[in-house]
Amino acid sequence: MNINSAAPLVHRGDLAKRHLEAVAAAVVESQRPTTRKVYLSAWNRFQAWAQKEGVTPLPADPVTVAAYLVHRDARGLSFSSLAMDCKAISFFHRHAGLPTPTVSEGVKMTLAGVKNRAAKRGTAEPKQARGLREEGLRAIIDTAHIPRIYPSGRTESVEAARWRGKVDIAIVSVMRDALLRRGEAANLRWADVKFRRNGSSRLIIRCSKTSNTPAVLYVGVRATAALNRIRPRNASPTARVFGVRRGRTICVRIAAMCREAGLGEGFSGHSPRVGMTQDLTANGAGLVAIMNAGRWKSERMPAHYSRGQAAGLGAVARYYTQQG
């Protein structure tokens, strides 16, 4: 069943549960895997709630959507979670050939209201990962090869620590230079790394969270040298560069190496991307250039990440600098 053929059924209001599931399965294929998973999860939650309340999820009345947002807000969820609910509901309605209920003034006002509530309890914005900046990278390089003592009491061997340290340094160095997302780093293959004569390299990201169009990203001499130190002599083109399969593993590794380097808590798989954004801003890079480097389609997130550094470059900061 495709969406166009499903639309008449929707307008008659006689969709059985199996038809709703078929619509969901079809339209969700138009999104990238990560977005697909998030949207489908949000949509399934909305359908389950609607079924429990005895209301129709597709097409949903604006009052139904507003009531759902209030229900979700009452559970203390962040505003970003509620905004994602709206995106998922809108997505499935639009791709079923239906007007989306999320554009109604009632839903917009409800969303604005729950955003104000979230701000009061401190959940209006998602918790930002600490940025892994240049000084943090140097600390990791200095400590990466030190054998670790694990919770079990076992001490890492010198040989194991040496190799693990090489991989750790390569991960954070490359992720910073290319502003990689953790999933992109986990999926990187040796065939996607193009080494240059001048010591730098280029990465080919064939698909990402926000685009199906391949991107070519710059990696500097230092990070490329780190890559070469972990590159097998006869590397298979399809082998994963960092030897991990999940972005979550990248996240755990970065948090661990930051703790061992004495940087503290709050670091994650997003930290290299955030930290390079902050360093670029502090170095005078414009927002458009940073958006291009990080492949952002909106200025919202890079501006959010670098707001502290941008303030230090603003008009008031320049005024005091000129005053001497």
Side-chain angles (χ1 to χ4, degrees):
M1 178 193 297
N2 59 43
I3 296 305
N4 291 332
S5 64
L9 293 176
V10 173
H11 285 296
R12 288 202 300 271
D14 59 356
L15 273 179
K17 182 179 180 182
R18 69 179 187 279
H19 293 136
L20 290 175
E21 292 174 346
V23 170
V27 302
V28 81
E29 290 298 325
S30 67
Q31 292 289 335
R32 294 301 313 152
T34 303
T35 306
R36 181 188 310 166
K37 183 178 179 180
V38 172
Y39 275 19
L40 188 56
S41 177
W43 176 248
N44 286 339
R45 282 195 300 269
F46 175 62
Q47 283 194 105
W49 175 85
Q51 183 178 14
K52 181 179 179 181
E53 296 294 324
V55 293
T56 303
L58 189 70
D61 187 273
V63 175
T64 297
V65 177
Y68 180 63
L69 294 176
V70 172
H71 161 75
R72 295 274 284 165
D73 177 61
R75 298 180 62 190
L77 297 170
S78 68
F79 174 74
S80 60
S81 296
L82 273 61
M84 181 58 68
D85 290 333
C86 280
K87 289 180 181 179
I89 292 169
S90 176
F91 174 80
F92 283 104
H93 276 75
R94 286 186 292 104
H95 285 76
L98 294 167
T100 172
T102 61
V103 299
S104 75
E105 284 302 312
V107 172
K108 289 180 179 179
M109 292 175 69
T110 301
L111 195 60
V114 297
K115 182 177 183 179
N116 290 337
R117 287 183 186 175
K120 291 178 181 178
R121 63 175 182 256
T123 58
E125 293 291 342
K127 186 176 181 180
Q128 178 180 311
R130 289 181 63 186
L132 180 59
R133 303 191 63 183
E134 176 66 29
E135 61 269 24
L137 175 59
R138 292 198 196 103
I140 288 174
I141 292 173
D142 290 342
T143 58
H145 302 294
I146 298 174
R148 296 176 182 173
I149 300 176
Y150 296 105
S152 63
R154 181 178 67 86
T155 300
E156 187 178 29
S157 71
V158 173
E159 182 179 350
R162 185 180 298 115
W163 176 252
R164 190 257 314 137
K166 288 180 180 180
V167 177
D168 283 352
I169 292 170
I171 287 173
V172 291
S173 298
V174 171
M175 288 183 70
R176 270 180 47 86
D177 278 13
L179 282 83
L180 293 183
R181 299 176 176 91
R182 66 183 191 179
E184 294 168 346
N187 290 325
L188 190 66
R189 315 298 173 115
W190 285 112
D192 300 325
V193 183
K194 308 300 179 183
F195 294 92
R196 308 294 285 264
R197 291 182 179 179
N198 65 358
S200 67
S201 59
R202 305 293 184 270
L203 304 185
I204 301 174
I205 303 301
R206 303 192 182 280
C207 63
S208 69
K209 177 181 177 181
T210 59
S211 176
N212 291 323
T213 304
V216 180
L217 309 175
Y218 175 84
V219 175
V221 173
R222 180 179 61 182
T224 300
L227 273 179
N228 272 316
R229 285 193 287 270
I230 67 169
R231 185 186 185 191
R233 181 170 298 178
N234 297 310
S236 168
T238 60
R240 295 174 187 267
V241 171
F242 301 121
V244 300
R245 294 181 174 275
R246 300 174 57 205
R248 175 63 183 166
T249 304
I250 294 284
C251 183
V252 171
R253 286 191 74 143
I254 290 176
M257 65 180 85
C258 288
R259 283 195 300 270
E260 294 295 327
L263 301 177
E265 303 293 336
F267 293 91
S268 73
H270 211 54
S271 292
R273 185 170 165 88
V274 174
M276 180 55 91
T277 300
Q278 294 169 342
D279 283 343
L280 291 174
T281 301
N283 196 47
L287 189 55
V288 173
I290 294 174
M291 287 173 61
N292 288 335
R295 293 158 293 139
W296 280 288
K297 294 183 178 180
S298 165
E299 64 182 24
R300 177 176 174 270
M301 291 314 297
H304 176 68
Y305 295 152
S306 60
R307 59 193 185 279
Q309 291 70 37
L313 298 171
V316 174
R318 290 197 303 271
Y319 169 77
Y320 282 110
T321 299
Q322 292 168 3
Q323 293 298 307

